[in-house]
Amino acid sequence: MSHFEPNDYIRFDLLEKNINIVRKRLNRPLTLSEKIVYGHLDDPANQEIERGKTYLRLRPDRVAMQDATAQMAMLQFISSGLPKVAVPSTIHCDHLIEAQLGGEKDLRRAKDINQEVYNFLATAGAKYGVGFWRPGSGIIHQIILENYAYPGVLLIGTDSHTPNGGGLGGICIGVGGADAVDVMAGIPWELKCPKVIGVKLTGSLSGWTSPKDVILKVAGILTVKGGTGAIVEYHGPGIDSISCTGMATICNMGAEIGATTSVFPYNHRMKKYLNKTGRADIAILADEFKDHLVPDPGCHYDQLIEINLSELKPHINGPFTPDLAHPVAEVGTVAEKEGWPVDIRVGLIGSCTNSSYEDMGRSAAVAKQALAHGLKCKSQFTITPGSEQIRATIERDGYAQILRDVGGIVLANACGPCIGQWDRKDIKKGEKNTIVTSYNRNFTGRNDANPETHAFVTSPEIVTALAIAGTLKFNPETDFLTGKDGKKFKLEAPDVDELPRAEFDPGQDTYQHPPKDSSGQRVDVSPTSQRLQLLEPFDKWDGKDLEDLQILIKVKGKCTTDHISAAGPWLKFRGHLDNISNNLLIGAINIENGKANSVRNAVTQEFGPVPDTARYYKKNGIRWVVIGDENYGEGSSREHAALEPRHLGGRAIITKSFARIHETNLKKQGLLPLTFADPADYNKIHPVDKLTIQGLKDFAPGKPLKCIIKHPNGTQETILLNHTFNETQIEWFRAGSALNRMKELQQ
């Protein structure tokens, strides 16, 4: 599987055996997604298979965790009482490094500030057999692509952008920490059988059009929830014009359309990348089993989209949502019409979506042209290398220096501003401004905690060109810049190598192998720590219906996991459930007053912060519910957005619809994620009402629950609530959580 794990092997023989069993049963051609997913079934001979309906029991090959989510995942694994992980697993330190002064200084500061957390993760990894990538090693998804992903792998990761590995032909799925614990414990992992959306690519990429433009276009077509419950499978002759890391970019941002994951079929571009990253033996094996790593001719897709890459234009999406798509040629005009600031304050390249060698090279090629004409960036400019290997290689090959010369600051090999780890000084909170990034998300306040920052996402080379020009009104395909000598010139589209001509420079060794004998390894969590807290089991269901639930908040509009459990400065509390619960729903808009973090306390009738009100209810034995809108919980995989409401006394979340990962996370923690049978019933509920949920004694798959709405004037209404629980998930609810149920089964 990896040179870091010499005793764990790729089982294409088992994949082939399972695929043949399922193909014989279904008697039809299979998509690539189906081959890899069904090829990992726990019981391929008897598993019920129906796209979009049945739950599959799967055996993933490996688990990956980033440091912000690994804390809670490892705390849950410790609670399970198991001695070692059952599958190859890794922890990656990339989320806790704040961008402030530059790479080396920021890394030193992060190691000092987060020493307690890093020590916990390193010792827990050593104790339980988990590989540990130290801070500075790079972003989890780039490390996985370089070392662990391979065609045909089924990998789960505790980060929503885990689908990045689909660029190397794997099914890589973002999950919450409780799902990771199941797999690390050797328990079959459950996933609702995905539908498959086919995206047929024809033509070829050229000029300023990049792989990023493919997913920006798809996001505009499908919107932020159009991929929910589906795997997006790219195919067609156009894929051969896209590099392996370019395919990873497309799969990575598939998280923004709600897709379970995205994947490309194995081809020569993947083989080239495997060879260059020291895995020629895997490429040889993939060649041998190639028929199982591509879709069958004549396979059926639930939806089909066709994109001609030869006609695709550079795109830029935003602000405030990643599915608001504009051609770069038109965004300036649209911005002026909408009143968005056209002057660009900061351009930021990198992130897990666009930080490959090719990305850095294309940006450097644009910057080099500006320097040749005596120009530097008009906007501030930052660069985030994806890994230590990328950083070392772009330093050696001169790309990093070119990007510095044009005015850029090279940040640490980490997530940084993409996830809000940015100590931004050039504006005040509330100041209206525009930034352009090569990131994946641009939700309100995500990058800098300023709700007035208009963030746009695009390709690294477009970010670089716009940062040089300093305005959204610049189109590099047609517009001219004025050089230092007063002469006008036009930027040429970048044309660079997708991989270095020499071998990659690995840079510093940042990996810690788990020891063969960990019997003497201690994992300490201080009872007085403000960063880490051992978990206490959640209470079991009492066997009764949920009577007179108070409405904590009725949310208006978009409510992402950033709204439910903010990142940025709160990341430091990801291992301490009680402390991080002080950010519960502070970004959500209360329909009653149109404000964030201001809800009515039903007892005192005073308005106050959401977490304080939830704590008041919990202290006084008042159980509560949240009412949400469409696609509730979209965005990050962070299970804290489910742990926090459970910890503070929540019992149910009722919405028009859920994002996949968040819905599962809620179930795992013993909450009830429910949807209105009639979405219009959202309007029947008011923040001052009380709700009773009936039918839990006869809780069964596919059977709706009743909800009685009790209005303050004494009148009542009854509505129906749907759910997607299966038998196993109902057992989680009755036990109080999936972890509680695991312990019951062990006993």
Side-chain angles (χ1 to χ4, degrees), residues 156 170 172 205 209 310 337 390 459 466 479 632:
I156 68 164
C172 303
L205 291 176
T209 305
S310 299
K337 180 182 176 183
I390 294 297
S459 68
L466 293 178
D479 295 345
Y632 184 90

Side-chain angles (χ1 to χ4, degrees), residues 553-556 589-595 682-683 685 687:
I553 183 173
K554 182 179 179 182
V555 178
K556 179 183 178 182
I589 301 301
N590 180 8
I591 199 167
E592 187 174 4
N593 57 13
K595 295 180 180 180
Y682 169 88
N683 298 316
I685 296 177

Side-chain angles (χ1 to χ4, degrees), residues 50-360:
E50 185 179 356
R51 288 188 199 170
K53 295 289 177 77
T54 57
Y55 278 86
L56 307 178
R57 291 167 60 83
L58 302 168
R59 293 285 184 178
D61 296 301
R62 64 180 309 121
V63 172
M65 299 168 280
Q66 40 94 336
D67 51 355
T69 50
Q71 295 171 62
M72 201 57 71
M74 293 309 296
L75 286 166
Q76 289 177 85
F77 188 81
I78 290 169
S79 297
S80 75
L82 296 168
K84 289 279 185 183
V85 295
V87 301
S89 304
T90 51
I91 294 169
H92 304 261
C93 295
D94 61 1
H95 270 58
L96 301 181
I97 303 167
E98 184 181 50
Q100 191 178 64
L101 301 172
E104 291 184 12
K105 292 179 180 178
D106 293 345
L107 181 58
R108 281 199 301 271
R109 179 170 173 264
K111 287 179 178 178
D112 180 52
I113 292 172
N114 302 306
Q115 182 179 8
E116 181 186 11
V117 171
Y118 291 147
N119 179 65
F120 166 72
L121 294 174
T123 55
K127 176 75 172 176
Y128 298 105
V130 179
F132 179 70
W133 288 85
R134 301 183 187 94
S137 58
I139 305 172
I140 176 173
H141 310 303
Q142 184 68 30
I143 297 291
I144 289 171
L145 201 70
E146 292 173 354
N147 299 282
Y148 298 116
Y150 59 83
V153 70
L154 177 59
L155 179 152
I156 68 164
T158 60
D159 189 278
S160 56
H161 292 107
T162 300
N164 192 78
L168 202 42
I171 293 293
C172 303
I173 301 176
V175 299
D179 276 336
V181 172
D182 280 355
V183 178
M184 291 191 292
I187 297 171
W189 174 59
E190 287 198 346
L191 175 73
K192 182 178 273 191
C193 188
K195 294 184 177 181
V196 187
I197 298 173
V199 179
K200 183 178 181 180
L201 302 179
T202 60
S204 61
L205 291 176
S206 63
W208 285 94
T209 305
S210 73
K212 185 67 164 283
D213 297 307
V214 176
I215 185 57
L216 294 175
K217 178 71 173 179
V218 170
I221 295 169
L222 288 176
T223 77
V224 290
K225 63 176 184 175
T228 303
I231 294 176
V232 179
E233 184 173 311
Y234 294 86
H235 62 283
I239 63 172
D240 288 333
S241 72
I242 305 173
S243 67
C244 177
T245 53
M247 290 187 266
T249 291
I250 295 167
C251 292
N252 177 294
M253 199 175 157
E256 271 49 78
I257 56 173
T260 301
T261 191
S262 302
V263 68
F264 278 81
Y266 178 63
N267 69 356
H268 70 281
R269 306 298 283 264
M270 295 182 192
K271 181 176 182 177
K272 185 176 180 180
Y273 184 80
L274 286 168
N275 289 337
K276 190 56 107 172
T277 51
R279 295 174 287 171
D281 51 345
I282 294 180
I284 292 169
L285 188 67
D287 283 340
E288 182 182 343
F289 285 86
K290 184 173 182 179
D291 286 349
H292 302 302
L293 305 174
V294 296
D296 287 339
C299 64
H300 170 71
Y301 296 104
D302 296 285
Q303 182 179 351
L304 184 63
I305 297 168
E306 294 195 33
I307 297 175
N308 185 338
L309 300 180
S310 299
E311 297 175 356
L312 183 63
K313 288 293 186 180
H315 273 63
I316 182 168
N317 289 21
F320 305 123
T321 185
D323 58 353
L324 186 57
H326 321 273
V328 171
E330 299 172 11
V331 70
T333 302
V334 174
E336 287 185 320
K337 180 182 176 183
E338 297 291 337
W340 304 332
V342 294
D343 291 338
I344 298 167
R345 297 295 289 267
V346 192
L348 306 98
I349 64 169
S351 89
C352 64
T353 313
N354 279 112
S355 55
S356 67
Y357 183 83
E358 181 182 31
D359 289 327
M360 297 293 124

Side-chain angles (χ1 to χ4, degrees), residues 25 65 73 154 219 224 289 325 333 344 348 389 392 470 487 528 532 561 564 589 613 665 691 701 707:
R25 285 182 56 203
M65 299 168 280
L154 177 59
V224 290
F289 285 86
T333 302
I344 298 167
L348 306 98
Q389 179 168 278
K487 295 181 181 178
T528 60
L532 298 165
T561 48
I564 304 166
I589 301 301
T613 307
N665 286 345
L691 306 181
C707 177

